[in-house]
């Protein structure tokens, strides 16, 4: 992943800067919103949350996947601050009783910003999403994927047909990985292949790729757009996300008619992605023939090397992880007191073409049996990758539990070869 932002800059202390503004000033809302947006961008935040409470407008931004407190604005200025965001996003300021979505027009050098509002008991809640932008796109070999998985992933991208699925929950790095794949394909194609995307929304421009954004209000949906794309003579198609059975059906149709299709999908694991596709009505023979590869992702925070402390296997912080040594988070100025700086991916790679997996899929096996078949074919689980990262001192046991949950999975728990 990219280097973490400098959190020791003045922009990293928005509470102090906001305290210097006059709430009685007519310009307070404008100045406060500009400051909040600027501070969040400077800190590398992915989202900015403005939550109305009885005490005031609680403002937090999400850094490395975790919400961090920024400031608490007085109750009396909360409506004006949210209204200012709505003005920037071209939303209806007088409608405070319905959810609204919009975007703030990007300036040169800045990525697109999305704004959504939601009515609550104590007032309107607003969330701002900062997209990465073209300048922050990461190359495939800089994502931090394990070497063995990256080699398999690149081999799958060299295929000329089939569906490659990047799965995981929200905020797990799916879109970043999809864009990295597109950059790799565009570079290797050197203009000799037609690469087209269908996205909702377009988060960043990729050189050498034709990108389109759906417009459901005009009838331009993922399904209809994908159907039209098949008549545009593409060789590689990227679908932002499979959300419904009709889009899944069209994606498999494209994959089985000589197109390499890339997409993202919400699922907890690689085998879980196959299970969810089956639940959407995709027939086993289509899963076996059309699905080329599934990559499941999670992002865990990297320990701050300046303050991480050693712990041992009998420390309660180990939370049952079967290791005799590891490191835990502490706090220092370098990491703004969080104990972490940046994130790294934890991933698993599943090939439906593996014979054991293929038989399980064709036999309509459940997710547990598909995962067992995948492990028997050599797939290294998310959990084992995470344990390896803990053993290497890259992340902490507590962070693994935060991301992967508190259940102790079955299996040996022995570290995988490399984080």
């Amino acid at each position: 992943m990219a280097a973490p932002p400098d959190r020791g800059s003045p922009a990293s202390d928005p509470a102090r800067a906001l305290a210097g503004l006059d709430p009685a000033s007519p310009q307070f809302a404008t100045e406060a919103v500009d400051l909040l947006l600027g501070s969040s961008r400077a800190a590398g935040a992915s989202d900015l949350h403005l939550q109305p409470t009885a005490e005031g407008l609680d403002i937090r931004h999400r850094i490395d996947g975790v919400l961090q407190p920024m400031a608490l604005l007085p109750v009396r200025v909360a409506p004006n601050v949210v209204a200012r965001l709505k003005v920037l996003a071209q939303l209806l300021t007088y409608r405070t009783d319905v959810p609204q979505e919009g975007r703030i027009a990007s300036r040169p050098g800045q990525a697109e910003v999305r704004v959504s509002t939601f009515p609550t008991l104590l007032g309107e809640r607003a969330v701002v999403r900062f997209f990465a932008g073209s300048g922050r796109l990461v190359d495939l070999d800089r994502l931090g994927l394990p070497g063995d998985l990256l080699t398999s992933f690149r081999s799958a991208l060299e295929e000329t047909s089939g569906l490659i699925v990047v799965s995981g929950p929200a905020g797990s790095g799916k879109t970043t990985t999809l864009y990295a794949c597109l950059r790799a394909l565009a570079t290797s194609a050197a203009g000799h292949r037609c690469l087209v995307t269908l996205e909702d929304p377009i988060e960043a421009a990729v050189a050498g790729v034709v990108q389109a954004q759906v417009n459901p209000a005009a009838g331009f949906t993922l399904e209809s757009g994908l159907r039209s794309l098949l008549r545009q003579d593409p060789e590689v198609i990227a679908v932002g996300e499979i959300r419904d059975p009709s889009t899944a059906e069209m994606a498999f149709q494209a994959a089985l008619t000589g197109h390499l299709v890339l997409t993202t999908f919400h699922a907890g694991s690689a085998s879980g992605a196959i299970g969810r596709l089956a639940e959407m009505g995709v027939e086993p023979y289509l899963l076996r023939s059309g699905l080329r590869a599934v990559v499941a992702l999670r992002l865990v925070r990297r320990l701050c090397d300046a303050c991480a402390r050693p712990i041992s296997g009998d420390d309660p912080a180990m939370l049952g992880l079967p290791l005799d040594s590891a490191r835990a988070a502490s706090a220092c100025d370098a990491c703004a007191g969080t104990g972490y700086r940046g994130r790294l991916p934890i991933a698993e790679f599943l090939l439906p073409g593996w014979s054991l997996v293929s038989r399980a899929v064709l036999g309509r096996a459940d997710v547990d049996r598909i995962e067992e078949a995948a492990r028997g074919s050599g797939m290294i689980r998310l959990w084992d990758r995470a344990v390896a990262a803990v053993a290497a001192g890259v992340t902490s046991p507590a962070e693994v539990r935060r991301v992967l949950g508190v259940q102790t999975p079955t299996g040996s728990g022995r570290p995988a070869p490399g984080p």
Side-chain angles (χ1 to χ4, degrees):
M1 293 294 174
D6 179 11
R7 294 172 190 164
S9 64
S12 64
D13 191 6
R16 181 181 301 175
L18 285 169
L21 302 179
D22 179 10
S25 169
Q27 299 300 316
F28 176 81
T30 299
E31 294 171 351
V33 167
D34 289 346
L35 193 153
L36 291 171
L37 294 176
S39 297
S40 294
R41 284 195 184 97
S46 60
D47 303 87
L48 172 66
H49 289 225
L50 292 85
Q51 173 69 43
T53 69
E55 292 74 30
L57 190 64
D58 183 21
I59 302 175
R60 299 170 182 262
H61 53 193
R62 190 178 298 280
I63 298 176
D64 293 339
V66 178
L67 284 174
Q68 305 289 352
M70 293 181 70
L72 181 67
L73 296 181
V75 173
R76 67 182 185 276
V77 303
N80 292 338
V81 171
V82 174
R84 174 58 183 170
L85 274 175
K86 293 170 74 173
V87 168
L88 292 175
Q90 299 182 359
L91 302 178
L92 302 176
T93 57
Y94 60 86
R95 293 303 304 267
T96 60
D97 56 341
V98 295
Q100 296 188 65
E101 295 183 12
R103 64 180 183 178
I104 299 175
S106 59
R107 300 174 183 175
Q110 290 184 352
E112 181 175 324
V113 175
R114 292 280 172 130
V115 176
S116 67
T117 62
F118 194 84
T120 73
L121 176 65
L122 297 175
E124 279 191 288
R125 184 177 192 270
V127 174
V128 179
R129 163 61 61 91
F130 301 95
F131 291 142
S134 303
R136 291 172 58 187
L137 291 180
V138 181
D139 292 331
L140 192 59
D141 57 1
R142 294 186 59 197
L143 288 175
L145 295 171
D148 61 310
L149 190 152
L150 182 60
T151 299
S152 299
F153 201 177
R154 284 192 177 278
S155 295
L157 290 173
E158 291 174 359
E159 298 289 348
T160 57
S161 64
L163 178 66
I164 297 177
V165 174
V166 181
S167 68
S172 59
K174 299 187 298 297
T175 301
T176 299
T177 302
L178 184 67
Y179 277 129
C181 292
L182 287 172
R183 282 165 61 95
L185 288 168
T187 299
S188 63
H192 298 295
R193 299 175 75 188
C194 178
L195 285 70
V196 185
T197 74
L198 191 60
E199 306 174 57
D200 182 22
I202 295 173
E203 297 191 16
V206 182
V209 179
V210 178
Q211 295 174 262
Q213 181 168 302
V214 301
N215 183 3
F220 183 22
T221 63
L222 286 171
E223 179 191 2
S224 64
L226 189 51
R227 183 178 291 108
S228 297
L229 271 183
L230 295 180
R231 306 185 188 100
Q232 289 284 306
D233 191 31
E235 286 151 296
V236 178
I237 301 173
V239 181
E241 181 183 347
I242 289 181
R243 298 174 179 169
D244 51 61
S246 57
T247 304
E249 180 183 352
M250 288 302 304
F252 273 92
Q253 180 180 331
L256 290 169
T257 53
H259 305 86
L260 181 63
V261 182
L262 286 70
T263 189
T264 68
F265 191 59
H266 284 274
S269 65
S271 55
I274 295 178
R276 281 207 61 212
L277 287 168
E279 290 172 358
M280 280 187 168
V282 180
E283 292 295 330
Y285 73 91
L286 290 177
L287 289 171
R288 169 61 186 86
S289 302
L291 196 56
R292 184 68 61 188
V294 183
V295 181
L297 293 171
R298 291 292 196 283
L299 290 175
V300 296
R301 292 179 293 173
R302 289 181 179 272
L303 284 165
C304 174
D305 286 330
C307 64
R309 61 178 178 83
I311 56 176
S312 60
D314 58 358
D315 192 303
M318 290 298 295
L319 298 173
L321 281 168
L323 299 172
D324 56 9
S325 64
R327 296 199 301 169
S330 187
C332 69
D333 291 339
C335 59
T338 66
Y340 301 90
R341 294 197 68 183
R343 291 188 288 181
L344 74 150
I346 301 296
E348 62 185 15
F349 185 86
L350 186 154
L351 286 173
W354 286 328
S355 59
L356 292 177
V357 176
S358 178
R359 288 198 293 269
V361 170
L362 290 175
R364 298 180 183 271
D366 59 23
V367 171
D368 289 341
R369 288 178 57 195
I370 292 174
E371 177 157 340
E372 182 180 350
R375 290 180 62 196
S377 300
M379 184 188 78
I380 300 174
R381 301 174 303 164
L382 288 167
W383 177 262
D384 294 322
R385 297 284 189 188
V387 171
V390 171
V394 180
T395 191
S396 70
E399 177 67 4
V400 169
R401 292 298 192 181
R402 183 188 72 83
V403 173
L404 296 183
V406 298
Q407 301 89 354
T408 300
T410 57
S412 66
R414 290 191 296 269

